[in-house]
Amino acid sequence: MTLIGMPQIRERRTPTRTGRTYHLRTFGCQMNVHDSEGIAGLLEADGMVPATDADTADLVVFNTCCIRENADDKLYGSLGSLKRIKDERPELLIAVGGCLAQKDRNLVQDRAPWVDVVFGTHNLSRVVSLLDYAEEWGPITEILEESESVTVVPAKREVDHSAWVTIMIGCNNSCTFCIVPSVRGAEISRRPGDIVREVQDLAADGVVEVTLLGQNVNSYGRDLELGGHKALFADLLRRVGEVDGIERIRYTSPHPKDFKADVALAMAETEAVCEQLHMPLQSGSDRILSAMHRGYTAERFLAKLDLARQHLPGLAISTDIIVGFPGESEADFQATLDVVAVARFDSAFTFIYSPRPGTAAAEMVDQFVAPEVIQDRYQRLTELQTSIGLERNQELVGATVEVLVDGPSKTDPTKSSGRTRGNKLVHFPGEVAPGSLVNVRIDRAAPHFLIGDRL
Ligand code: SAH
Ligand code: SF4
Ligand code: F3S
């Protein structure tokens, strides 16, 4: 059965799946990671517990991403291997939610009819009711076109001391490569009072670090009218900064075209806001930036970095870069390398352009760049960025940095790992309780982490 835009199933209250196990796999960005905490919260409110072994779980949920084609391939590949388990254990429930489900809708059950529930990005709060329906009546796809407001469901947090906080959903931009606006809908901001209350509750629960989430946080509040004036992101940062117990505030992502001095100033003047910024460049070529609809030039982008660094000495900056956007010439790519050399990012997420059907760039088929050319450029870009990242990290050798401890190091349990305010990974000898703030003197730098000693 398919319901598109018709939330007809009644919500249920008393737990009915007590003791049954779930396995939740999350693909994609922080929004999805946080949505998965909500899905886990709802399943556990229904009595379920996490499975210790994925193969024996009573329910498998995929929270999907469709930002690049390989995300699609991975999902359908995983669903293919689950079919064998479902053939042996027909009572196994399989649910697929998130961005790819929102994009593919009925196609998910067309391609994988053994999937019980398909839900999208606007109705994750209904996951338990949809499972009820599927158990009683059979497979169901329910996709809603839009959200009416930001729905916040009680999250089961993965980490005790750190939390994601949604400040807005959706995206009103139209970057020509990007599928996010079509699967996440238009921007809707949460009211600042609700956000601050959630942060206060988190602080009361022992959280010391929050990351404010939105696809385009600089346009936060443009849709909100509060006593005659707009709610602004800079004001929100200051208000969250007043919450007792919150030591660190981060946010992701700002859009370079909308990043202004008021936000840089609010960051500088709000002690808890970390000296860290994720500023997605995408390309260093003005011609490509324009074809991407990004709304800035390389020069304007670099000016924003200067502005941010003036206000925030020691600022660590990360970025996203796409290689091989349709029509990218060697000169365009060289312009990207030039900007990377000047910008001196601390780290970069580099992506190979992936055509997403339905986006404007996917239509530029005659301008697609040959895969071997893209591979070569990708390698040159990552080599340059790796050496810059190492140099940036070497600048910290000898310095003492504050580290928020995540827990034992994954490779050596006699060591602890944590993050600096600049969000750099640090390993140091000794066992320290997760959530502690300690001072570490940095002795050694690698491109993607630092090594030091606790003081
Ligand atoms: N709203 C965020 C981006 C979310 S997507 C922002 O604007 O910063 C995360 C990153 O994925 C983007 O910054 C971009 O670099 C990359 N990306 C998005 N669509 C892509 C595509 N079609 N091919 C390759 N990379 C893509
Ligand atoms: Fe995609 Fe652009 Fe919106 Fe980011 S700002 S989610 S890249 S459309
Ligand atoms: Fe995020 Fe992927 Fe959706 S990047 S918004 S989970 S398409």
Side-chain angles (χ1 to χ4, degrees):
M1 152 141 195
T2 302
L3 292 172
I4 305 256
M6 288 187 294
Q8 290 174 339
I9 303 165
R10 262 192 329 117
E11 302 299 330
R12 201 235 344 246
R13 281 186 180 80
T14 40
T16 55
R17 292 193 172 78
T18 306
R20 288 167 73 183
T21 61
Y22 71 92
H23 175 67
L24 175 54
R25 282 190 61 187
T26 306
F27 302 81
C29 67
Q30 291 95 334
M31 327 277 157
N32 257 21
V33 171
H34 186 42
D35 284 350
S36 283
E37 293 183 328
I39 295 170
L42 292 165
L43 296 176
E44 296 198 8
D46 193 41
M48 299 194 83
V49 291
T52 43
D53 173 7
D55 291 343
T56 62
D58 299 312
L59 163 69
V60 176
V61 186
F62 292 92
N63 191 13
T64 61
C65 170
C66 58
I67 197 85
R68 284 171 290 276
E69 198 172 5
N70 64 1
D72 290 41
D73 298 342
K74 262 196 232 160
L75 190 248
Y76 285 107
S78 305
L79 287 178
S81 22
L82 261 187
K83 176 162 194 309
R84 263 172 290 129
I85 304 184
K86 178 100 175 173
D87 285 342
E88 282 164 27
R89 281 198 293 127
E91 69 283 5
L92 166 69
L93 284 170
I94 304 172
V96 177
C99 295
L100 194 145
Q102 186 75 29
K103 168 174 83 76
D104 277 2
R105 301 171 174 231
N106 292 328
L107 192 64
V108 180
Q109 280 166 336
D110 288 349
R111 286 182 70 172
W114 54 92
V115 169
D116 298 282
V117 170
V118 179
F119 60 103
T121 55
H122 301 293
N123 60 343
L124 81 79
S125 62
R126 290 174 35 73
V127 63
V128 170
S129 304
L130 291 166
L131 289 169
D132 292 350
Y133 180 96
E135 283 197 302
E136 199 157 341
W137 303 102
I140 179 166
T141 291
E142 184 191 81
I143 301 291
L144 307 188
E145 297 299 338
E146 278 289 343
S147 296
E148 276 168 19
S149 58
V150 185
T151 313
V152 176
V153 296
K156 191 218 165 197
R157 283 201 316 280
E158 299 224 319
V159 184
D160 288 336
H161 59 268
S162 184
W164 310 103
V165 176
T166 303
I167 64 164
M168 62 195 297
I169 57 169
C171 179
N172 287 358
N173 288 323
S174 51
C175 304
T176 54
F177 52 80
C178 185
I179 196 148
V180 169
S182 74
V183 291
R184 289 274 173 171
E187 286 171 9
I188 306 179
S189 302
R190 248 176 111 190
R191 298 179 70 81
D194 293 344
I195 296 168
V196 169
R197 220 159 304 137
E198 182 178 348
V199 175
Q200 284 166 338
D201 290 346
L202 289 166
D205 206 26
V207 167
V208 294
E209 177 182 64
V210 290
T211 303
L212 309 180
L213 287 180
Q215 291 293 353
N216 183 14
V217 296
N218 297 113
S219 54
Y220 169 77
R222 285 187 194 160
D223 55 333
L224 291 179
E225 200 68 56
L226 296 169
H229 63 88
K230 296 268 181 230
L232 293 174
F233 182 60
D235 300 333
L236 182 70
L237 278 180
R238 292 177 195 273
R239 284 190 61 181
V240 174
E242 283 166 13
V243 176
D244 278 345
I246 298 298
E247 308 277 351
R248 289 183 171 191
I249 300 166
R250 306 184 188 281
Y251 63 90
T252 197
S253 295
H255 193 298
K257 79 173 155 56
D258 300 316
F259 184 86
K260 309 245 160 68
D262 64 333
V263 170
L265 199 63
M267 290 175 75
E269 291 177 353
T270 309
E271 213 184 314
V273 175
C274 290
E275 295 74 31
Q276 183 230 325
L277 188 62
H278 182 67
M279 191 73 110
L281 167 66
Q282 314 299 4
S283 168
S285 152
D286 291 346
R287 209 175 62 81
I288 297 294
L289 285 169
S290 158
M292 288 175 163
H293 275 191
R294 288 292 289 179
Y296 53 85
T297 59
E299 193 184 335
R300 292 260 308 273
F301 179 90
L302 289 169
K304 303 272 176 169
L305 295 195
D306 282 345
L307 169 82
R309 283 181 168 135
Q310 271 161 26
H311 284 90
L312 295 140
L315 182 68
I317 304 180
S318 56
T319 197
D320 292 345
I321 300 171
I322 296 177
V323 179
F325 183 84
E328 183 189 76
S329 65
E330 178 57 28
D332 292 318
F333 176 66
Q334 193 57 52
T336 298
L337 293 180
D338 293 345
V339 173
V340 168
V342 176
R344 298 190 60 73
F345 298 111
D346 292 81
S347 61
F349 299 92
T350 46
F351 304 105
I352 285 176
Y353 170 71
S354 171
R356 305 285 52 216
T359 61
E363 306 289 307
M364 309 175 188
V365 182
D366 53 332
Q367 297 179 63
F368 280 8
V369 182
E372 58 280 10
V373 174
I374 297 187
Q375 272 305 334
D376 171 66
R377 289 181 189 164
Y378 185 82
Q379 199 174 335
R380 284 152 67 201
L381 174 63
T382 46
E383 273 166 23
L384 173 64
Q385 178 52 44
T386 305
S387 69
I388 294 172
L390 175 62
E391 286 165 18
R392 295 285 293 156
N393 283 351
Q394 281 166 340
E395 289 166 22
L396 288 173
V397 172
T400 298
V401 295
E402 181 200 81
V403 173
L404 176 60
V405 178
D406 286 326
S409 148
K410 293 208 174 77
T411 49
D412 179 354
T414 66
K415 294 200 175 100
S416 294
S417 302
R419 298 263 167 189
T420 67
R421 284 176 62 94
N423 209 25
K424 291 175 190 259
L425 183 61
V426 180
H427 305 292
F428 59 94
E431 286 159 54
V432 181
S436 317
L437 285 166
V438 296
N439 285 323
V440 173
R441 201 197 54 244
I442 301 302
D443 304 321
R444 205 154 70 72
H448 303 292
F449 61 87
L450 300 161
I451 290 177
D453 274 304
R454 188 179 168 189
L455 293 185

